[in-house]
């Protein structure tokens, strides 16, 4: 498990301005400096260890995890971590009902796969160019929002969230369905209602990357005990271990 020095070097202790804090974060603070709240890195280490143990056990029992992080600083590492552990992810926009109305989401996934099928079989070559352009634009949007959850046929056993303020809808849906939530919680957020809050800077790329990689490693270790092995190089498999179809051509090509 990562030590306090490494956490500090990644800047996990830098919070928000003191006039933009949530009082329930007080128990995780080490004070303030220059009008900025400082998070106690020892508390970060403790909570990160608790969350990692939970995820390792969950994965060892076959549970699936959904990473959620749509802010620019989190998008790349969310996808990298999820793909390396065959987990699910949302890293562009959370669609309302992703958890609470999964049936509708699955219909959109099937629509995406249907358009993929048309592309792969060359059936679009027989269609009017205008119709092809419309389908490709639609599929570009569907892929952006649904690619990371295309294999999610049932609700996941846990969520890992970056920035609970920004991803409030995802948090609300998970709480409604009683899905355990692991989350990076900055000084402007309410940690109550989060099962495994990890007090840390959720704006720094280095901070986000360090914490997500530690959590993801726990997922991998748990799955490995279950007999899991990586499915293959990036691009060969998708979230949930599904084979990725050939990318659809850019919508502007038609």
């Amino acid at each position: 498990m990562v030590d306090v020095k490494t956490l500090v070097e990644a800047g996990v202790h830098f919070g928000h301005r003191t006039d933009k804090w949530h009082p329930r974060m007080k128990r995780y603070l080490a004070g303030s400096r220059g009008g900025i709240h400082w998070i106690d890195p020892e508390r970060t280490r403790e909570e990160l260890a608790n969350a990692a143990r939970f995820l390792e056990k969950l994965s060892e029992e076959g549970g699936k995890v959904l990473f959620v992080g749509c802010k620019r600083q989190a998008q790349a590492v969310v996808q990298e971590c999820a793909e390396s552990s065959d987990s699910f992810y949302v890293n562009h926009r959370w669609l309302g009902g992703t958890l609470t109305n999964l049936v509708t989401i699955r219909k959109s996934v099937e629509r995406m796969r249907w358009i993929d099928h048309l592309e792969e079989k060359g059936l679009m070559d027989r269609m009017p160019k205008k119709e092809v352009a419309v389908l490709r634009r639609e599929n570009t949007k569907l892929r952006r929002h649904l690619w990371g959850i295309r294999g999610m046929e049932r609700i996941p056993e846990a969520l890992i969230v970056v920035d609970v303020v920004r991803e409030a809808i995802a948090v609300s849906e998970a709480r409604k369905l009683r899905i355990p939530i692991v989350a990076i919680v900055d000084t402007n957020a309410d940690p109550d209602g989060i099962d495994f809050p990890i007090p840390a800077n959720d704006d720094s790329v280095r901070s986000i990357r360090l914490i997500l990689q530690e959590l993801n490693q726990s997922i991998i270790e748990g799955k490995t005990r279950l007999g899991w092995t990586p499915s293959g190089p990036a691009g060969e498999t998708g979230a949930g271990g599904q084979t990725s179809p050939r990318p659809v051509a850019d919508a502007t090509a038609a």
Side-chain angles (χ1 to χ4, degrees), residues 148-160:
I149 57 172
R150 64 193 182 281
M152 193 175 79
E153 298 182 352
R154 58 184 175 85
I155 61 173
E157 280 69 37
L159 259 65
I160 297 177

Side-chain angles (χ1 to χ4, degrees), residues 113-152:
R113 287 175 170 163
W114 176 73
I115 299 174
D116 283 342
H117 175 75
L118 294 181
E119 184 79 29
E120 290 170 358
K121 299 298 182 182
L123 300 177
M124 285 189 177
D125 297 339
R126 309 173 191 172
M127 301 169 66
K129 288 186 177 180
K130 186 174 181 180
E131 185 177 350
V132 170
V134 170
L135 286 173
R136 283 178 172 163
R137 280 196 295 270
E138 178 186 359
N139 210 30
T140 295
K141 184 176 180 180
L142 289 171
R143 281 169 169 257
R144 184 181 302 115
H145 296 152
L146 302 174
W147 188 250
I149 57 172
R150 64 193 182 281
M152 193 175 79

Side-chain angles (χ1 to χ4, degrees), residues 48-65 157-158 180 182 196 214-226:
L48 178 56
N50 289 338
R53 283 192 293 269
F54 163 73
L55 290 171
E56 184 174 345
K57 185 174 187 297
L58 179 80
S59 299
E60 189 175 358
E61 294 172 350
K64 297 291 290 186
V65 177
E157 280 69 37
V182 174
F196 297 91
E214 287 291 318
L215 296 174
N216 194 54
Q217 185 58 38
S218 297
I219 294 172
I220 290 173
E221 289 174 3
K223 295 180 76 167
T224 300
R225 288 198 193 88
L226 192 63

Side-chain angles (χ1 to χ4, degrees), residues 38-105:
W38 281 36
I39 297 167
D40 183 349
E42 181 59 39
R43 293 303 310 277
T44 302
R45 188 193 66 79
E46 292 172 358
E47 298 299 343
L48 178 56
N50 289 338
R53 283 192 293 269
F54 163 73
L55 290 171
E56 184 174 345
K57 185 174 187 297
L58 179 80
S59 299
E60 189 175 358
E61 294 172 350
K64 297 291 290 186
V65 177
L66 170 61
F67 286 78
V68 183
C70 300
K71 65 197 307 179
R72 177 182 52 79
Q73 303 95 311
Q75 288 176 344
V77 68
V78 161
Q79 182 173 349
E80 290 168 12
C81 286
E83 289 183 343
S84 68
S85 61
D86 274 347
S87 299
F88 305 120
Y89 68 91
V90 172
N91 70 335
H92 281 284
R93 179 189 168 199
W94 181 268
L95 299 179
T98 295
L99 297 176
T100 54
N101 193 14
L102 185 56
V103 171
T104 297
I105 296 296

